[in-house]
Each structure stands twice: as C-alpha cells, then as structure tokens.
Amino acid sequence: MIATVEPGSPADQAGLAAGDIILALDGMAITGADDLIRLLAGDKIGRTVAADTLRNGEQRRVSLVPAERRA
C-alpha cells in the first residue's frame, strides 16, 4: 500500500495516491514492499512501466517512469 506520494514524483505524475495498492509491475506480482523495491531497481529506472493498482475496490493500470530514490 502506498503510504505517501511526494508532489512531482513519478507516482504523483502517474496519478497514484496514498492508500492505493500496487498489485503488479510490468506483469510481475507485488506481494510486499521488498518486491516493489526490487522490481523498480535497475533497468526500470527511466523506462515506462505499467503498474496494476487497486483504489477503493477498483482495479486500474497506470503508466509511470521510475526515478532514482531520493536520500
């Protein structure tokens, strides 16, 4: 589940919001934060990916471009 979304971040630009649940990234199931971090690393940085999400019981797909994590 997304806890917060920073203004101007890739998640914000994709229309994601706090409370959204990320179910899959580029077709790969997400079962926890570790999965998401692992799948967002490496070759996905700077490349458009599809995220399957759940918001208020409604499933949807958004496109986003992951960026390096800020310190």
Side-chain angles (χ1 to χ4, degrees):
M1 180 183 297
I2 297 174
T4 61
V5 175
E6 291 185 35
S9 69
D12 182 40
Q13 293 171 359
L16 296 173
D20 287 354
I21 298 171
I22 299 177
L23 304 172
L25 193 67
D26 269 354
M28 302 290 290
I30 303 294
T31 59
D34 290 339
D35 285 346
L36 183 61
I37 292 167
R38 179 179 48 80
L39 288 172
L40 284 175
D43 67 336
K44 291 193 177 20
I45 300 296
R47 180 175 73 82
T48 302
V49 297
D52 296 323
T53 65
L54 186 65
R55 179 186 291 171
N56 299 324
E58 186 176 323
Q59 204 168 344
R60 65 188 191 126
R61 177 171 284 172
V62 299
S63 295
L64 62 107
V65 180
E68 292 286 338
R69 291 178 78 186
R70 295 183 217 178

